[in-house]
Amino acid sequence: MTDRYAVFGHPIAHSKSPQIHAAFARQTGQDMSYEAILAPLDGFAGCVADFIAAGGRGANVTVPFKEEAFRLANRLSRRAERAGAVNTLTFDDGILGDNTDGAGLVSDLTRNLHCALAGKRILLVGAGGAARGVVEPLLEQQPARLVIANRTVSRAQELADLFGRGVTACGFDTTGGPFDLVINATAASLAGELPPLSPAIFTAGTLAYDMMYGRDTPFLAFARVQGAATADGLGMLVEQAAEAFFVWRGVRPDTAPVIASLRAV
Ligand code: NDP
C-alpha cells in the first residue's frame, strides 16, 4: 500500500513541499504520496489525528504550527528539543517530533554554496522559530563566533542564553562587524521590509543569506550594494525536506536536480 505523508500549514496553497517530495520519491523509487493539508488555525491537533487515523505515516509542519507540533509530539529528537519547534512528525508507535530546518540550512551553506563555517564570524538576524532551529547546527560547525541580532533584543538574549559561550545577543544598532556570513532569519522579507542593519556588517567576502525564497528581497539587494555575495533560502527548503525524507524512508535523495528544477520555473 502507498504510504501517505503530508504538510500541514495555514496558509498552505503556496507550499512547494508536495512537488519536492514527489521528485524525491520518483528519484528513489519510494511508494509514497505527499499532500498539502490546510489545518484550521484552532484545529491543528485534530487534523493530525484524522490523518493518522486515515493511515498517515508522517508529516511536515509549517507556519504557524511548529510550536504546537512540538507540544503534540510525545517523543522529541535532541535537535527538536533544542530548537523548541518541530517541522517533521513521524507516526510510528506514538508521535515523534524532529526539526530538520537547521540541518537543511547547514547542508545548503556547506554543500551547495561551498561556504565552510569553521572559524567564521556569523551574524544571525532574527530570534523567532527559524532562528531558534538553526543555532545549534551552526555551532556544531565551530564558527569563531555567532552573534544573534533581533528587533526585540530580549528574545535574542534568551536564545543566546540557551547556548552560552561563543554566542552573543544584541539589537540591530550594536552588531559590530564585518561578518563572513549574515543570515536573515526574520520575517521582514515576507513584508518586503529591510531590518535596519548597518552596512558595516558586510565586506567584500561576506555571504548574505536570506531564508526567504522565491523573490529578491530588500535584505539581499542591500547586501549586494555593499559588495556581498547573496543566496536565498530555496536550497535550505529542499535540504530540510531531504533530511525529513531520510528520517521517514532511510534514503537520502539527490537534492541538486530538485533545486535546479525549482529554480527553472
Ligand atoms: P517568526 O514569526 O517565528 O519570527 C519572526 C522574526 O522576525 C522575529 O525575530 C521578529 O522579531 C522578526 N521580524 C518580523 N518582522 C520584522 C521586521 N519588520 N523587521 C525586523 N525584524 C522583524 O518567523 P519564523 O522564524 O518562522 O520565519 C522567519 C523567516 O524564515 C520567514 O521568512 C520564513 O519564510 C523563513 N523560513 C524559511 C525556511 C526555509 O526552508 N527556507 C524555513 C523556515 C523559515 P521580533 O522578535 O522583534 O518580533
Side-chain angles (χ1 to χ4, degrees):
M1 202 174 80
T2 301
D3 290 334
R4 283 182 72 189
Y5 296 87
V7 57
F8 291 89
H10 189 121
I12 200 61
H14 67 287
S15 175
K16 294 187 192 300
S17 292
Q19 215 179 320
I20 293 169
H21 282 279
F24 289 166
R26 270 195 308 276
Q27 192 193 92
T28 59
Q30 296 286 306
D31 185 11
M32 59 182 278
S33 68
Y34 188 107
E35 63 207 273
I37 297 179
L38 178 72
L41 288 173
D42 59 354
F44 171 69
C47 250
V48 171
D50 290 348
F51 186 64
I52 295 172
R57 298 287 307 275
N60 286 129
V61 181
T62 188
V63 176
F65 299 123
K66 288 185 189 182
E67 285 170 17
E68 207 174 330
F70 177 84
R71 293 191 294 273
L72 186 69
N74 35 41
R75 280 177 301 138
L76 292 167
S77 66
R78 182 187 140 82
R79 56 192 181 180
E81 215 168 294
R82 291 304 292 261
V86 157
N87 79 334
T88 301
L89 295 169
T90 304
F91 310 129
D92 178 17
D93 190 20
I95 302 179
L96 172 65
D98 198 352
N99 190 312
T100 65
D101 280 338
L105 173 69
V106 169
S107 289
D108 192 34
L109 288 167
T110 57
R111 291 218 301 265
N112 302 332
L113 300 167
H114 309 292
C115 174
L117 302 175
K120 297 289 174 62
R121 300 158 298 177
I122 303 178
L123 175 63
L124 178 64
V125 186
R132 216 182 136 113
V134 303
V135 173
E136 176 146 294
L138 286 173
L139 289 175
E140 282 168 358
Q141 299 295 308
Q142 303 192 305
R145 64 195 182 104
L146 177 64
V147 177
I148 304 173
N150 196 44
R151 182 174 62 182
T152 310
V153 184
S154 59
R155 281 187 90 191
Q157 192 61 58
E158 275 165 35
L159 184 52
D161 288 347
L162 289 177
F163 295 92
R165 247 158 41 94
V167 187
T168 52
C170 61
F172 293 145
D173 52 347
T174 52
T175 50
F179 294 88
D180 302 300
L181 172 65
V182 179
I183 301 165
N184 183 14
T186 72
S189 297
L190 283 172
E193 290 170 11
L194 174 68
L197 295 162
S198 161
I201 61 175
F202 300 111
T203 181
T206 304
L207 173 64
Y209 190 101
D210 200 324
M211 285 195 188
M212 164 104 183
Y213 54 85
R215 63 178 126 107
D216 198 24
T217 66
F219 167 76
L220 293 182
F222 177 61
R224 223 176 281 123
V225 170
Q226 316 307 322
T230 57
D232 73 0
L234 185 69
M236 174 180 173
L237 177 76
V238 175
E239 295 294 346
Q240 64 76 27
E243 186 72 19
F245 192 87
F246 178 71
V247 167
W248 294 328
R249 311 300 297 182
V251 184
R252 219 168 259 290
D254 182 5
T255 51
V258 180
I259 295 171
S261 74
L262 288 173
R263 290 230 183 270
V265 291

